[in-house]
Structures are given as C-alpha cells and as structure tokens.
C-alpha cells in the first residue's frame, strides 16, 4: 500500500513542468473517482494517501486543479473521513448496491479491525463468552491417554488458555464473511493483469517517506 502511494507521489514530482503536473493531478483525481465507482477503495486510498503527503499537498500546482477535481476531493474526503471510526465509509459498505458488485476494501482498516478483535477484549462481556472446550477430532484418538493426563491438561489450560472465545470467532467470521461476499460480486471477473504497467510500477520510488 505505502509503496504504491510513494510511487504515485514520485511520478507527480518527476513531472517536468507545472502545467503537466496540474494535468497529472487532475488525471489522478479522475482515476480516484472511477475507482470509487468500481468500489476499489484500496487503490483509491493509495492515490488519496499520495496526494496528502506533505511533499505533494504543498506543491503550487495542487492549488491549480480544476473545480471538478476539487469537488471529487471533497466527496472522497467526506467518505473516507476518520470521524467516528470511518463511519461514512462503513455505512457505504453496509448498504451495498443492487445487484451486488465486487468490493476491494480499504485493507489497512480491515487489518486494523482484525487486530482490535484479536487484541482488545475490553468490549466483550466475559459472562457472555461460551467457554466450550475446543477438542479437534484428531486429539481424541487416544482417549485413555487423554484421561491419564487430565489433571496436567487442566493446568496447561489455565496457563495457556484452553478455551475458544466464541464471541471473538463470530466477530472474525462476520468480518471475513463480508470479504468473501465482496470477492464474489460482479465487476472484476474478466480483468487481466497488464504486464507492461506492472513492470513500470516496479521502478523504485524517489519519495520514501
């Protein structure tokens, strides 16, 4: 994600004249608008991140973009606002278009949600956790041996946590279920990789931070 953003920023900086730089900015903003229509929030945010790097946002050319581009930036700024934990963006994902189309989510936020579910349990009421002991079938092959080590196993469970947090599993399942639903939507089935473009984008960026 960051590598793509730095590559985009490098392309803007390397543009030879101010006039061409304005044209490139307008073009990139138009691409963002198209990506929004395609529900490709990941690529859209890569461009958005590049445009908000200080080395880009301070450029005099940035103030010369067209009125149409300015309106698009305002729209995307509202949609991807971090206010209330990206509430506008989450609301859009919760009300998908009909018929359902493919969605490429904003991956850093998706990973952040998974991390919060895994690491922060303060929002889970302990009394609601179904502490059902997790016993995969392959562990029950030797029941006699398991019985003999019952006490030892109890001690290990106390130390390492021998139970599954089913509330957490439901939350992870719901999140990943949405990803699977978005993947199966319409819109990206017939797309093929542009090898020339991929090769060009592998050029080392000059903007690194």
């Amino acid at each position: 994600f960051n590598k793509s953003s730095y590559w985009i920023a490098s392309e803007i900086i390397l543009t030879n004249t101010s006039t061409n730089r304005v044209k490139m900015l307008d073009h990139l903003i138009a691409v963002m608008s198209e990506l929004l229509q395609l529900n490709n929030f990941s690529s859209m945010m890569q461009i958005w991140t590049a445009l908000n790097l200080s080395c880009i946002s301070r450029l005099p050319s940035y103030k010369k973009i067209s009125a149409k581009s300015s309106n698009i930036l305002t729209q995307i700024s509202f949609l991807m606002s971090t206010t209330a934990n990206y509430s506008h963006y989450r609301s859009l994902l919760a009300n998908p278009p009909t018929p359902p189309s493919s969605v490429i989510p904003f991956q850093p936020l998706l990973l952040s949600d998974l991390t919060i579910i895994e690491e922060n349990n303060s929002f889970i009421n302990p009394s609601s956790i179904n502490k059902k002991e997790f016993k995969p079938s392959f562990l029950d092959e030797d029941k006699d041996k398991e019985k003999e080590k019952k006490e030892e196993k109890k001690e290990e469970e106390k130390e390492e946590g021998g139970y599954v947090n089913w509330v957490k599993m439901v939350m992870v399942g719901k999140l990943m279920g949405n990803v699977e639903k978005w993947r199966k939507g319409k819109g990206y089935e017939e797309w093929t990789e542009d090898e020339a473009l991929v090769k060009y984008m592998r050029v080392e960026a000059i903007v690194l931070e």
Side-chain angles (χ1 to χ4, degrees):
F1 185 94
N2 289 341
K3 185 175 181 180
S4 296
S5 294
Y6 295 148
W7 177 84
I8 293 167
S10 297
E11 289 294 303
I12 296 172
I13 291 174
L14 290 172
T15 304
N16 54 5
T17 66
S18 176
T19 301
N20 288 337
R21 192 173 292 120
V22 172
K23 290 180 179 179
M24 175 171 282
L25 288 168
D26 282 332
H27 177 71
L28 287 170
I29 294 170
V31 172
M32 287 176 64
S33 179
E34 187 66 23
L35 290 170
L36 176 58
Q37 299 302 316
L38 293 171
N39 295 321
N40 186 343
F41 299 103
S42 181
S43 297
M44 183 190 76
M45 286 301 291
Q46 288 172 15
I47 300 177
W48 174 253
T49 300
L51 296 180
N52 281 277
L53 292 173
S54 59
C55 60
I56 302 300
S57 60
R58 293 179 184 178
L59 290 172
S61 305
Y62 201 87
K63 299 178 181 180
K64 299 178 182 179
I65 59 175
S66 66
K68 181 179 180 181
S69 294
S70 295
N71 291 334
I72 293 173
L73 287 179
T74 300
Q75 177 188 6
I76 294 177
S77 178
F78 174 80
L79 174 64
M80 302 308 297
S81 169
T82 58
T83 302
N85 194 17
Y86 293 89
S87 60
H88 301 143
Y89 167 69
R90 294 181 187 278
S91 177
L92 179 63
L93 291 183
N95 300 279
T98 304
S101 60
S102 296
V103 174
I104 301 179
F106 179 36
Q107 295 176 10
L109 184 59
L110 178 64
L111 295 175
S112 176
D113 288 345
L114 288 171
T115 301
I116 290 173
I117 293 173
E118 175 62 25
E119 302 294 339
N120 183 12
N121 294 323
S122 61
F123 54 84
I124 298 178
N125 184 352
S127 63
S128 69
I129 296 177
N130 178 12
K131 293 184 177 180
K132 182 178 179 181
E133 189 173 357
F134 182 54
K135 292 184 178 180
S137 59
F138 62 82
L139 294 181
D140 292 330
E141 295 177 356
D142 191 348
K143 293 184 178 180
D144 292 335
K145 186 176 181 180
E146 181 182 353
K147 186 176 181 180
E148 294 174 0
K149 296 184 177 180
K150 185 176 180 180
E151 294 302 321
E152 180 181 348
K153 185 177 179 181
K154 284 184 178 180
E155 293 301 319
E156 291 176 354
E157 289 174 349
K158 290 179 181 179
E159 296 178 2
E160 301 177 6
Y163 297 100
V164 172
N165 186 331
W166 294 107
V167 173
K168 181 186 292 186
M169 292 300 101
V170 169
M171 296 174 72
V172 172
K174 182 178 180 180
L175 187 60
M176 298 312 297
N178 284 334
V179 173
E180 181 65 13
K181 178 178 65 177
W182 298 332
R183 187 183 69 84
K184 291 182 177 180
K186 303 292 184 181
Y188 291 96
E189 308 91 338
E190 300 179 358
W191 284 39
T192 56
E193 186 177 275
D194 188 326
E195 295 182 1
L197 178 60
V198 171
K199 183 178 180 180
Y200 180 69
M201 291 185 67
R202 285 175 179 163
V203 175
E204 192 68 26
I206 64 169
V207 176
L208 300 177
E209 58 180 31

